Coordinates of all heavy atoms in Angstrom, one line a residue:
M15 N 58.0 -89.1 85.8 CA 58.5 -88.6 87.1 C 57.3 -88.0 87.9 O 56.5 -87.3 87.3 CB 59.5 -87.5 86.9 CG 60.9 -88.0 87.1 SD 62.1 -86.7 87.0 CE 62.6 -86.9 85.3
D16 N 57.3 -88.2 89.2 CA 56.2 -87.6 89.9 C 56.6 -86.2 90.4 O 57.7 -85.7 90.2 CB 55.8 -88.5 91.1 CG 56.9 -88.7 92.1 OD1 57.7 -87.8 92.3 OD2 57.0 -89.8 92.7
M17 N 55.7 -85.6 91.1 CA 55.9 -84.2 91.5 C 57.1 -84.0 92.5 O 57.7 -83.0 92.5 CB 54.6 -83.6 92.2 CG 53.5 -83.4 91.2 SD 53.9 -82.1 89.9 CE 53.8 -80.7 90.9
M18 N 57.4 -85.1 93.2 CA 58.4 -85.0 94.3 C 59.8 -85.0 93.7 O 60.7 -84.4 94.2 CB 58.2 -86.1 95.3 CG 56.9 -86.1 96.0 SD 56.6 -84.5 96.8 CE 57.8 -84.6 98.2
T19 N 60.0 -85.7 92.6 CA 61.3 -85.9 92.0 C 61.6 -85.0 90.8 O 62.7 -84.8 90.4 CB 61.5 -87.4 91.6 OG1 60.5 -87.8 90.7 CG2 61.6 -88.3 92.8
R20 N 60.5 -84.5 90.3 CA 60.7 -83.6 89.1 C 61.4 -82.3 89.5 O 61.0 -81.7 90.4 CB 59.3 -83.3 88.5 CG 59.4 -82.5 87.2 CD 58.0 -82.6 86.5 NE 57.0 -81.9 87.4 CZ 56.7 -80.6 87.3 NH1 57.3 -79.8 86.5 NH2 55.8 -80.1 88.1
K21 N 62.4 -82.0 88.7 CA 63.1 -80.7 88.9 C 62.2 -79.6 88.5 O 61.7 -79.5 87.4 CB 64.4 -80.6 88.1 CG 65.2 -79.4 88.4 CD 66.5 -79.4 87.6 CE 67.4 -78.2 87.9 NZ 66.7 -77.0 87.6
A22 N 61.9 -78.7 89.5 CA 60.9 -77.6 89.2 C 61.5 -76.7 88.1 O 62.7 -76.2 88.2 CB 60.6 -76.9 90.4
S23 N 60.8 -76.4 87.1 CA 61.2 -75.4 86.1 C 60.6 -74.1 86.5 O 59.5 -74.0 87.0 CB 60.9 -75.8 84.7 OG 59.5 -75.9 84.6
P24 N 61.2 -72.9 86.2 CA 60.6 -71.7 86.6 C 59.3 -71.4 85.9 O 59.1 -71.8 84.8 CB 61.7 -70.6 86.2 CG 62.8 -71.3 85.6 CD 62.4 -72.8 85.5
H25 N 58.5 -70.7 86.6 CA 57.2 -70.2 86.1 C 57.5 -68.9 85.4 O 58.1 -68.0 86.0 CB 56.2 -70.0 87.3 CG 54.8 -69.8 86.9 ND1 53.9 -70.8 86.8 CD2 54.2 -68.6 86.5 CE1 52.7 -70.2 86.4 NE2 52.9 -68.9 86.2
H26 N 57.0 -68.7 84.2 CA 57.2 -67.5 83.5 C 56.0 -66.6 83.5 O 54.9 -67.1 83.2 CB 57.7 -67.8 82.0 CG 58.9 -68.5 81.9 ND1 59.3 -69.2 80.8 CD2 59.9 -68.7 82.8 CE1 60.4 -69.8 81.0 NE2 60.9 -69.5 82.2
I27 N 56.1 -65.4 83.7 CA 55.0 -64.4 83.6 C 55.4 -63.3 82.6 O 56.4 -62.7 82.8 CB 54.6 -63.8 85.0 CG1 54.4 -64.9 86.0 CG2 53.4 -62.9 84.8 CD1 54.2 -64.3 87.4
V28 N 54.6 -63.2 81.6 CA 55.0 -62.2 80.6 C 53.9 -61.0 80.6 O 52.7 -61.3 80.6 CB 55.0 -62.8 79.1 CG1 55.3 -61.8 78.1 CG2 55.9 -64.0 79.1
F29 N 54.4 -59.8 80.6 CA 53.6 -58.6 80.5 C 53.8 -58.0 79.2 O 54.9 -57.4 79.0 CB 53.9 -57.6 81.6 CG 53.7 -58.2 83.0 CD1 54.7 -58.9 83.7 CD2 52.5 -57.9 83.7 CE1 54.5 -59.4 84.9 CE2 52.3 -58.4 85.0 CZ 53.3 -59.2 85.6
A30 N 52.9 -58.2 78.3 CA 53.1 -57.8 76.9 C 51.9 -57.1 76.3 O 50.8 -57.5 76.6 CB 53.5 -59.0 76.0
N31 N 52.1 -56.0 75.6 CA 51.1 -55.3 74.9 C 51.8 -54.4 73.9 O 52.7 -53.8 74.2 CB 50.2 -54.5 75.8 CG 48.9 -54.1 75.2 OD1 48.9 -53.5 74.1 ND2 47.8 -54.3 75.9
E32 N 51.3 -54.4 72.6 CA 51.9 -53.5 71.6 C 51.8 -52.1 72.0 O 52.7 -51.3 71.7 CB 51.2 -53.7 70.3 CG 51.9 -54.6 69.3 CD 51.2 -54.7 68.0 OE1 50.0 -55.1 68.0 OE2 51.8 -54.3 67.0
K33 N 50.7 -51.7 72.7 CA 50.5 -50.3 73.0 C 51.3 -49.9 74.2 O 51.4 -50.6 75.2 CB 49.0 -50.2 73.3 CG 48.5 -48.8 73.5 CD 47.0 -48.7 73.4 CE 46.4 -47.4 74.0 NZ 47.0 -46.2 73.4
G34 N 51.9 -48.7 74.1 CA 52.7 -48.1 75.2 C 51.7 -47.6 76.2 O 50.6 -47.2 76.0
G35 N 52.2 -47.4 77.5 CA 51.5 -46.7 78.5 C 50.3 -47.5 79.0 O 49.4 -46.9 79.6
T36 N 50.3 -48.8 78.9 CA 49.1 -49.6 79.3 C 49.3 -50.2 80.7 O 48.5 -51.0 81.2 CB 48.8 -50.7 78.3 OG1 50.0 -51.4 78.0 CG2 48.2 -50.1 77.0
G37 N 50.5 -49.9 81.3 CA 50.7 -50.4 82.7 C 51.5 -51.7 82.8 O 51.6 -52.3 83.8
K38 N 52.2 -52.1 81.7 CA 53.0 -53.3 81.7 C 54.1 -53.2 82.8 O 54.3 -54.1 83.6 CB 53.7 -53.6 80.3 CG 52.7 -53.7 79.2 CD 53.5 -54.0 77.9 CE 54.3 -52.8 77.4 NZ 53.4 -51.6 77.0
S39 N 54.9 -52.2 82.7 CA 56.1 -52.0 83.6 C 55.6 -51.9 85.0 O 56.2 -52.6 85.9 CB 56.9 -50.8 83.2 OG 57.4 -51.0 81.9
T40 N 54.6 -51.1 85.3 CA 54.1 -51.0 86.6 C 53.6 -52.3 87.2 O 53.9 -52.6 88.4 CB 52.9 -49.9 86.6 OG1 53.4 -48.7 86.0 CG2 52.5 -49.6 88.0
S41 N 52.8 -53.0 86.4 CA 52.3 -54.3 86.9 C 53.5 -55.3 87.1 O 53.5 -56.0 88.1 CB 51.4 -54.9 85.8 OG 50.3 -54.1 85.5
A42 N 54.5 -55.3 86.2 CA 55.6 -56.2 86.4 C 56.4 -55.9 87.7 O 56.8 -56.8 88.4 CB 56.5 -56.1 85.2
V43 N 56.6 -54.6 88.0 CA 57.3 -54.2 89.2 C 56.6 -54.7 90.4 O 57.2 -55.4 91.3 CB 57.4 -52.7 89.3 CG1 57.7 -52.2 90.7 CG2 58.5 -52.1 88.4
H44 N 55.3 -54.5 90.5 CA 54.5 -54.9 91.7 C 54.5 -56.4 91.8 O 54.6 -56.9 92.9 CB 53.1 -54.3 91.6 CG 53.2 -52.8 91.9 ND1 53.3 -51.8 91.0 CD2 53.2 -52.2 93.1 CE1 53.3 -50.7 91.6 NE2 53.2 -50.8 92.9
V45 N 54.3 -57.1 90.7 CA 54.2 -58.6 90.8 C 55.6 -59.2 91.2 O 55.7 -60.0 92.1 CB 53.7 -59.2 89.5 CG1 53.9 -60.7 89.5 CG2 52.2 -58.9 89.3
A46 N 56.6 -58.6 90.6 CA 58.0 -59.1 90.9 C 58.4 -58.9 92.4 O 58.9 -59.8 93.0 CB 59.0 -58.5 90.0
V47 N 58.1 -57.7 92.9 CA 58.4 -57.4 94.2 C 57.5 -58.2 95.2 O 58.0 -58.7 96.2 CB 58.3 -55.8 94.5 CG1 58.4 -55.5 96.0 CG2 59.4 -55.1 93.7
A48 N 56.3 -58.3 94.9 CA 55.4 -59.1 95.8 C 55.8 -60.5 95.9 O 55.8 -61.1 97.0 CB 53.9 -59.0 95.3
L49 N 56.2 -61.1 94.8 CA 56.6 -62.5 94.8 C 57.9 -62.6 95.6 O 58.2 -63.6 96.3 CB 56.8 -63.1 93.4 CG 55.5 -63.3 92.6 CD1 55.7 -63.6 91.1 CD2 54.7 -64.4 93.3
S50 N 58.8 -61.6 95.4 CA 60.1 -61.6 96.2 C 59.8 -61.6 97.7 O 60.4 -62.3 98.5 CB 60.9 -60.4 95.8 OG 61.3 -60.5 94.5
Y51 N 58.8 -60.8 98.1 CA 58.4 -60.7 99.5 C 57.9 -62.0 100.0 O 58.1 -62.4 101.2 CB 57.3 -59.6 99.7 CG 57.9 -58.3 100.3 CD1 58.1 -57.3 99.4 CD2 58.2 -58.2 101.6 CE1 58.7 -56.1 99.9 CE2 58.8 -57.0 102.1 CZ 59.0 -56.0 101.3 OH 59.5 -54.8 101.7
L52 N 57.2 -62.8 99.1 CA 56.7 -64.1 99.5 C 57.8 -65.1 99.6 O 57.5 -66.3 100.0 CB 55.6 -64.5 98.5 CG 54.3 -63.7 98.6 CD1 53.4 -64.1 97.4 CD2 53.6 -63.9 99.9
G53 N 59.0 -64.8 99.2 CA 60.1 -65.7 99.3 C 60.5 -66.4 98.1 O 61.4 -67.3 98.1
F54 N 59.8 -66.1 97.0 CA 60.2 -66.7 95.7 C 61.4 -66.0 95.1 O 61.6 -64.8 95.3 CB 59.1 -66.5 94.7 CG 57.8 -67.4 95.0 CD1 56.7 -66.7 95.5 CD2 57.8 -68.7 94.8 CE1 55.6 -67.5 95.9 CE2 56.7 -69.5 95.1 CZ 55.6 -68.9 95.7
R55 N 62.3 -66.8 94.5 CA 63.4 -66.2 93.8 C 63.0 -65.7 92.4 O 62.6 -66.6 91.6 CB 64.5 -67.2 93.7 CG 65.1 -67.7 95.0 CD 66.0 -68.9 94.9 NE 65.3 -69.9 94.1 CZ 65.9 -70.9 93.5 NH1 67.2 -71.0 93.5 NH2 65.2 -71.8 92.8
V56 N 62.9 -64.4 92.2 CA 62.4 -63.9 91.0 C 63.5 -63.3 90.1 O 64.4 -62.6 90.6 CB 61.4 -62.7 91.4 CG1 60.8 -62.1 90.1 CG2 60.3 -63.3 92.3
G57 N 63.4 -63.6 88.8 CA 64.2 -62.9 87.8 C 63.4 -62.1 86.9 O 62.3 -62.5 86.4
A58 N 63.8 -60.8 86.8 CA 63.0 -59.9 86.0 C 63.8 -59.4 84.8 O 64.9 -58.9 84.9 CB 62.6 -58.7 86.8
I59 N 63.2 -59.6 83.6 CA 63.9 -59.1 82.3 C 63.0 -58.0 81.7 O 61.9 -58.2 81.4 CB 64.0 -60.3 81.3 CG1 64.8 -61.4 81.9 CG2 64.7 -59.8 80.0 CD1 65.0 -62.6 81.0
D60 N 63.7 -56.8 81.6 CA 63.0 -55.7 80.9 C 63.3 -55.8 79.4 O 64.4 -55.8 79.0 CB 63.6 -54.4 81.5 CG 62.7 -53.2 81.2 OD1 62.0 -53.2 80.1 OD2 62.7 -52.2 81.9
L61 N 62.2 -55.9 78.7 CA 62.3 -56.1 77.2 C 62.2 -54.7 76.5 O 62.1 -54.7 75.3 CB 61.2 -57.0 76.7 CG 61.2 -58.4 77.3 CD1 60.0 -59.2 76.9 CD2 62.5 -59.1 76.7
D62 N 62.2 -53.6 77.3 CA 62.1 -52.3 76.6 C 63.4 -51.6 77.0 O 63.5 -50.8 77.9 CB 60.9 -51.5 77.2 CG 60.7 -50.2 76.5 OD1 61.6 -49.7 75.8 OD2 59.6 -49.6 76.7
P63 N 64.5 -51.8 76.1 CA 65.8 -51.2 76.5 C 65.8 -49.7 76.3 O 66.7 -49.0 76.8 CB 66.8 -51.9 75.4 CG 65.9 -52.3 74.3 CD 64.5 -52.6 74.9
R64 N 64.8 -49.1 75.7 CA 64.8 -47.7 75.5 C 64.3 -47.0 76.8 O 64.9 -46.1 77.3 CB 63.9 -47.3 74.3 CG 64.1 -45.9 73.8 CD 63.3 -45.6 72.5 NE 61.8 -46.0 72.7 CZ 60.9 -45.1 73.2 NH1 61.3 -43.9 73.6 NH2 59.7 -45.5 73.4
Q65 N 63.2 -47.4 77.3 CA 62.6 -46.8 78.5 C 63.2 -47.4 79.8 O 63.4 -46.7 80.8 CB 61.1 -47.0 78.5 CG 60.4 -46.1 77.5 CD 59.1 -45.6 77.9 OE1 58.4 -46.2 78.8 NE2 58.7 -44.5 77.3
R66 N 63.4 -48.7 79.8 CA 63.9 -49.5 81.0 C 63.2 -49.1 82.3 O 63.9 -48.9 83.3 CB 65.4 -49.1 81.1 CG 66.3 -49.6 80.0 CD 67.8 -49.6 80.4 NE 68.2 -48.3 81.0 CZ 68.7 -48.2 82.2 NH1 68.8 -49.2 83.0 NH2 69.1 -47.0 82.7
T67 N 61.9 -49.0 82.2 CA 61.2 -48.6 83.5 C 61.4 -49.6 84.6 O 61.7 -49.2 85.7 CB 59.7 -48.5 83.1 OG1 59.5 -47.6 82.0 CG2 58.9 -47.9 84.3
L68 N 61.2 -50.9 84.3 CA 61.3 -51.9 85.3 C 62.8 -52.0 85.8 O 63.0 -52.0 87.0 CB 61.0 -53.3 84.6 CG 61.2 -54.5 85.4 CD1 60.3 -54.6 86.7 CD2 61.0 -55.8 84.6
H69 N 63.7 -51.9 84.9 CA 65.1 -52.0 85.3 C 65.5 -50.8 86.1 O 66.2 -51.0 87.2 CB 66.0 -52.0 84.0 CG 67.4 -52.5 84.2 ND1 68.4 -51.6 84.3 CD2 67.9 -53.7 84.3 CE1 69.5 -52.3 84.5 NE2 69.2 -53.6 84.5
R70 N 65.1 -49.6 85.8 CA 65.4 -48.4 86.6 C 64.8 -48.4 87.9 O 65.4 -48.1 88.9 CB 65.0 -47.1 85.8 CG 66.0 -46.8 84.7 CD 65.7 -45.5 84.0 NE 64.5 -45.5 83.2 CZ 63.4 -44.8 83.4 NH1 63.3 -44.0 84.4 NH2 62.4 -44.9 82.6
Y71 N 63.6 -48.9 88.0 CA 62.9 -49.1 89.3 C 63.7 -50.0 90.2 O 64.0 -49.6 91.4 CB 61.5 -49.6 89.2 CG 60.8 -49.8 90.5 CD1 59.9 -48.8 91.0 CD2 61.0 -51.0 91.2 CE1 59.3 -49.0 92.2 CE2 60.4 -51.1 92.5 CZ 59.5 -50.1 92.9 OH 58.9 -50.3 94.2
L72 N 64.2 -51.1 89.7 CA 64.9 -52.0 90.5 C 66.3 -51.5 90.8 O 66.9 -51.8 91.9 CB 64.9 -53.4 89.9 CG 63.5 -54.1 89.8 CD1 63.5 -55.3 88.9 CD2 63.0 -54.4 91.2
E73 N 66.9 -50.8 89.9 CA 68.2 -50.1 90.2 C 68.1 -49.1 91.4 O 68.9 -49.1 92.3 CB 68.7 -49.3 89.0 CG 69.4 -50.2 87.9 CD 69.8 -49.3 86.7 OE1 69.2 -48.2 86.5 OE2 70.7 -49.8 86.0
N74 N 67.0 -48.4 91.4 CA 66.7 -47.4 92.5 C 66.5 -48.2 93.8 O 66.9 -47.7 94.8 CB 65.5 -46.6 92.1 CG 65.7 -45.6 91.0 OD1 66.9 -45.3 90.7 ND2 64.7 -45.1 90.4
R75 N 65.8 -49.3 93.7 CA 65.6 -50.1 94.9 C 66.9 -50.6 95.5 O 67.1 -50.5 96.7 CB 64.7 -51.3 94.5 CG 64.2 -52.1 95.7 CD 63.2 -53.1 95.2 NE 62.7 -54.1 96.2 CZ 61.7 -53.8 97.0 NH1 61.0 -52.7 96.9 NH2 61.4 -54.7 97.9
V76 N 67.8 -51.0 94.7 CA 69.2 -51.4 95.1 C 69.9 -50.2 95.7 O 70.5 -50.3 96.8 CB 70.0 -52.1 94.0 CG1 71.4 -52.3 94.4 CG2 69.4 -53.4 93.6
A77 N 69.8 -49.1 95.1 CA 70.5 -47.9 95.6 C 69.9 -47.5 96.9 O 70.7 -47.1 97.8 CB 70.3 -46.8 94.5
T78 N 68.6 -47.6 97.1 CA 68.0 -47.2 98.3 C 68.5 -48.1 99.5 O 68.7 -47.7 100.6 CB 66.4 -47.3 98.2 OG1 66.0 -46.4 97.2 CG2 65.7 -47.0 99.5
Q79 N 68.6 -49.4 99.2 CA 69.1 -50.4 100.2 C 70.5 -50.0 100.6 O 70.8 -50.0 101.8 CB 69.1 -51.8 99.6 CG 67.7 -52.3 99.4 CD 67.7 -53.7 98.8 OE1 68.0 -54.7 99.6 NE2 67.5 -53.9 97.6
Q80 N 71.3 -49.6 99.7 CA 72.7 -49.3 100.0 C 72.7 -48.0 100.8 O 73.4 -47.9 101.8 CB 73.5 -49.2 98.7 CG 73.8 -50.5 98.1 CD 74.3 -50.5 96.7 OE1 74.4 -49.4 96.1 NE2 74.7 -51.6 96.1
R81 N 72.0 -47.0 100.4 CA 72.0 -45.7 101.0 C 71.5 -45.8 102.5 O 72.0 -45.1 103.3 CB 71.1 -44.7 100.2 CG 71.3 -43.3 100.6 CD 70.5 -42.3 99.6 NE 69.1 -42.6 99.6 CZ 68.5 -43.1 98.5 NH1 69.1 -43.5 97.4 NH2 67.2 -43.3 98.6
R82 N 70.5 -46.6 102.7 CA 69.9 -46.7 104.0 C 70.3 -47.9 104.8 O 69.8 -48.1 105.9 CB 68.3 -46.7 103.9 CG 67.8 -45.4 103.2 CD 66.3 -45.5 103.0 NE 65.6 -45.7 104.2 CZ 64.3 -45.9 104.3 NH1 63.5 -45.9 103.2 NH2 63.7 -46.0 105.4
S83 N 71.3 -48.7 104.3 CA 71.8 -49.9 104.9 C 70.6 -50.8 105.4 O 70.6 -51.2 106.6 CB 72.7 -49.5 106.1 OG 73.7 -48.7 105.7
I84 N 69.8 -51.1 104.5 CA 68.7 -52.0 104.7 C 68.6 -53.1 103.7 O 69.3 -53.0 102.6 CB 67.3 -51.3 104.7 CG1 67.1 -50.5 103.4 CG2 67.2 -50.3 105.9 CD1 65.7 -49.9 103.3
T85 N 67.9 -54.2 104.0 CA 67.7 -55.2 103.0 C 66.3 -55.4 102.6 O 65.4 -55.5 103.5 CB 68.2 -56.6 103.6 OG1 69.6 -56.4 104.0 CG2 68.1 -57.7 102.6
L86 N 66.0 -55.3 101.4 CA 64.6 -55.5 100.9 C 64.6 -56.6 99.9 O 65.5 -56.8 99.1 CB 64.2 -54.2 100.1 CG 64.2 -52.9 100.8 CD1 64.0 -51.7 99.9 CD2 63.1 -52.9 101.9
P87 N 63.5 -57.5 100.0 CA 63.4 -58.6 99.0 C 63.4 -58.0 97.6 O 62.5 -57.1 97.3 CB 62.1 -59.2 99.4 CG 61.7 -58.8 100.7 CD 62.4 -57.4 100.9
T88 N 64.3 -58.4 96.8 CA 64.5 -57.7 95.5 C 64.7 -58.8 94.4 O 65.6 -59.7 94.6 CB 65.6 -56.7 95.5 OG1 65.4 -55.8 96.5 CG2 65.8 -56.0 94.2
P89 N 64.1 -58.7 93.3 CA 64.3 -59.6 92.2 C 65.7 -59.4 91.6 O 66.3 -58.4 91.7 CB 63.3 -59.3 91.1 CG 62.3 -58.4 91.8 CD 63.0 -57.8 92.9
N90 N 66.3 -60.5 91.0 CA 67.4 -60.3 90.1 C 66.8 -59.6 88.8 O 65.7 -59.9 88.4 CB 68.0 -61.7 89.7 CG 68.7 -62.3 90.9 OD1 69.3 -61.6 91.7 ND2 68.7 -63.6 90.9
F91 N 67.6 -58.8 88.2 CA 67.1 -58.1 87.0 C 68.1 -57.9 86.0 O 69.3 -57.7 86.3 CB 66.4 -56.8 87.4 CG 67.3 -55.8 88.2 CD1 67.9 -54.8 87.6 CD2 67.5 -56.0 89.6 CE1 68.7 -53.9 88.3 CE2 68.3 -55.1 90.3 CZ 68.9 -54.0 89.6
E92 N 67.6 -57.9 84.7 CA 68.5 -57.7 83.6 C 67.6 -56.9 82.6 O 66.4 -56.8 82.7 CB 68.8 -59.0 82.9 CG 69.5 -60.0 83.7 CD 71.0 -59.8 83.7 OE1 71.5 -58.9 83.0 OE2 71.7 -60.6 84.3
V93 N 68.3 -56.2 81.6 CA 67.6 -55.6 80.5 C 68.0 -56.3 79.3 O 69.2 -56.6 79.1 CB 67.8 -54.1 80.5 CG1 69.3 -53.7 80.3 CG2 67.0 -53.5 79.4
F94 N 67.1 -56.7 78.4 CA 67.4 -57.4 77.2 C 67.6 -56.3 76.1 O 66.8 -55.6 75.7 CB 66.2 -58.3 76.8 CG 66.4 -59.0 75.5 CD1 67.4 -60.0 75.4 CD2 65.7 -58.8 74.4 CE1 67.7 -60.7 74.3 CE2 65.9 -59.5 73.2 CZ 66.9 -60.5 73.1
Q95 N 68.9 -56.3 75.6 CA 69.3 -55.3 74.6 C 69.4 -55.8 73.2 O 69.5 -55.0 72.2 CB 70.7 -54.7 75.0 CG 70.9 -54.4 76.4 CD 71.0 -53.0 76.7 OE1 70.5 -52.1 75.9 NE2 71.6 -52.6 77.8
D96 N 69.3 -57.1 73.1 CA 69.5 -57.8 71.8 C 68.2 -57.8 71.0 O 67.2 -57.2 71.5 CB 70.0 -59.2 72.0 CG 71.3 -59.5 71.2 OD1 71.2 -59.2 70.0 OD2 72.3 -59.9 71.8
D97 N 68.2 -58.4 69.9 CA 66.9 -58.4 69.1 C 66.5 -59.8 68.5 O 65.6 -59.8 67.7 CB 66.9 -57.3 68.1 CG 68.0 -57.6 67.1 OD1 68.8 -58.6 67.2 OD2 68.2 -56.8 66.1
T98 N 67.1 -60.8 69.0 CA 66.7 -62.1 68.4 C 66.1 -63.0 69.5 O 66.4 -62.9 70.7 CB 67.9 -62.9 67.8 OG1 68.8 -63.3 68.9 CG2 68.6 -62.1 66.8
Q99 N 65.2 -63.8 69.1 CA 64.5 -64.7 70.0 C 65.5 -65.7 70.7 O 65.4 -66.0 71.9 CB 63.4 -65.5 69.3 CG 62.5 -66.3 70.2 CD 61.4 -67.1 69.4 OE1 61.0 -66.6 68.4 NE2 61.0 -68.2 70.0
A100 N 66.5 -66.1 69.9 CA 67.5 -67.0 70.4 C 68.3 -66.4 71.6 O 68.5 -67.1 72.6 CB 68.5 -67.5 69.3
R101 N 68.6 -65.1 71.4 CA 69.3 -64.4 72.5 C 68.5 -64.3 73.7 O 69.0 -64.4 74.9 CB 69.7 -63.0 72.0 CG 70.9 -63.0 71.1 CD 72.2 -63.3 71.8 NE 73.3 -63.1 71.0 CZ 74.6 -63.4 71.4 NH1 74.8 -64.0 72.6 NH2 75.6 -63.1 70.6
L102 N 67.2 -64.0 73.5 CA 66.3 -63.9 74.7 C 66.2 -65.2 75.4 O 66.2 -65.3 76.6 CB 64.9 -63.4 74.2 CG 63.9 -63.3 75.3 CD1 64.3 -62.3 76.4 CD2 62.5 -62.8 74.7
E103 N 66.0 -66.3 74.6 CA 65.9 -67.6 75.2 C 67.2 -67.9 76.0 O 67.1 -68.5 77.1 CB 65.6 -68.7 74.1 CG 64.1 -68.6 73.7 CD 63.8 -69.5 72.5 OE1 64.7 -70.2 72.0 OE2 62.7 -69.4 72.0
Q104 N 68.3 -67.5 75.5 CA 69.6 -67.7 76.2 C 69.6 -67.0 77.6 O 70.0 -67.6 78.6 CB 70.8 -67.2 75.4 CG 71.5 -68.1 74.5 CD 72.6 -67.5 73.7 OE1 73.0 -66.3 74.0 NE2 73.0 -68.1 72.6
M105 N 69.1 -65.8 77.5 CA 69.0 -65.0 78.8 C 68.1 -65.6 79.8 O 68.4 -65.7 81.0 CB 68.6 -63.5 78.5 CG 68.6 -62.6 79.7 SD 68.2 -60.9 79.3 CE 69.8 -60.2 79.2
V106 N 66.9 -66.0 79.3 CA 65.9 -66.7 80.1 C 66.5 -67.9 80.8 O 66.4 -68.2 82.0 CB 64.6 -67.0 79.3 CG1 63.7 -67.9 80.2 CG2 63.9 -65.7 79.0
T107 N 67.2 -68.8 79.9 CA 67.7 -70.0 80.4 C 68.8 -69.7 81.5 O 68.8 -70.4 82.6 CB 68.4 -70.8 79.3 OG1 67.3 -71.0 78.3 CG2 68.9 -72.1 79.7
K108 N 69.6 -68.7 81.3 CA 70.7 -68.4 82.3 C 70.0 -67.9 83.6 O 70.4 -68.4 84.6 CB 71.6 -67.3 81.7 CG 72.8 -67.0 82.5 CD 73.8 -66.3 81.6 CE 75.0 -65.8 82.4 NZ 74.7 -64.5 83.0
M109 N 69.1 -67.0 83.5 CA 68.5 -66.5 84.7 C 67.7 -67.6 85.4 O 67.5 -67.6 86.7 CB 67.5 -65.4 84.4 CG 68.2 -64.0 84.2 SD 67.0 -62.7 84.1 CE 67.3 -61.9 85.7
S110 N 67.1 -68.5 84.7 CA 66.2 -69.5 85.2 C 66.9 -70.4 86.2 O 66.3 -71.0 87.1 CB 65.6 -70.4 84.1 OG 64.8 -69.6 83.3
Q111 N 68.2 -70.5 86.1 CA 69.0 -71.4 87.0 C 68.8 -71.0 88.5 O 68.9 -71.9 89.3 CB 70.5 -71.4 86.6 CG 70.7 -72.1 85.3 CD 72.1 -71.9 84.7 OE1 72.9 -71.2 85.4 NE2 72.3 -72.4 83.5
D112 N 68.6 -69.7 88.7 CA 68.5 -69.3 90.1 C 67.1 -68.8 90.4 O 66.9 -68.0 91.4 CB 69.5 -68.1 90.4 CG 70.9 -68.5 90.1 OD1 71.3 -69.6 90.5 OD2 71.6 -67.8 89.4
C113 N 66.1 -69.2 89.6 CA 64.8 -68.6 89.8 C 63.7 -69.6 90.0 O 63.7 -70.7 89.5 CB 64.4 -67.7 88.6 SG 65.4 -66.2 88.5
D114 N 62.6 -69.2 90.8 CA 61.4 -70.0 90.9 C 60.4 -69.7 89.8 O 59.5 -70.4 89.6 CB 60.8 -69.8 92.3 CG 61.7 -70.2 93.4 OD1 62.3 -71.3 93.4 OD2 61.9 -69.3 94.3
Ligands
LIG21 N1 46.8 -49.3 87.6 C1 47.2 -48.0 87.3 N2 46.5 -47.0 87.7 C2 46.9 -45.7 87.4 N3 48.0 -45.4 86.7 C3 48.7 -46.4 86.3 C4 48.4 -47.8 86.6 N4 49.4 -48.6 86.0 C5 50.2 -47.7 85.4 N5 49.9 -46.5 85.6 C6 50.6 -45.3 85.1 O1 50.5 -45.3 83.6 C7 51.7 -44.8 83.0 C8 52.2 -45.9 82.1 O2 52.5 -47.1 82.9 P1 53.7 -48.1 82.4 O3 53.7 -49.2 83.5 O4 55.0 -47.3 82.3 O5 53.2 -48.7 81.1 P2 53.9 -49.5 79.9 O6 55.1 -50.2 80.5 O7 52.9 -50.4 79.4 O8 54.4 -48.5 78.9 C9 52.7 -44.5 84.2 O9 52.6 -43.1 84.4 C10 52.1 -45.3 85.4 O10 52.4 -44.7 86.6
LIG22 MG1 57.1 -50.1 80.0

């Protein structure tokens, strides 16, 4: 199949590091929001269900829009609470249907 007929599959960007406090969540927030501003449909999965930094940031963004009656380009977002790779792949596949 050539580029014109191939169904585009989403591009995945992973922010991962064993060490805490290295800026993963902060980087993920900025990249996700910047891509949303550029018009890409972004899906963001927070893999840290304890801290949920990315998820809480985006929850606050939604709350701000409601409070101020404004619209801001915002990624779809979920938090991954499970612990198996199969479950994560299921979540990625489901979110991928609406994402670039
Ligand atoms: N580029 C940066 N410059 C300065 N401080 C940063 C930068 N990126 C992240 N931080 C700060 O470092 C701390 C940890 O960042 P965070 O994104 O929560 O890390 P992680 O998700 O890897 O645990 C936060 O207080 C955040 O504000
Ligand atoms: Mg984090």
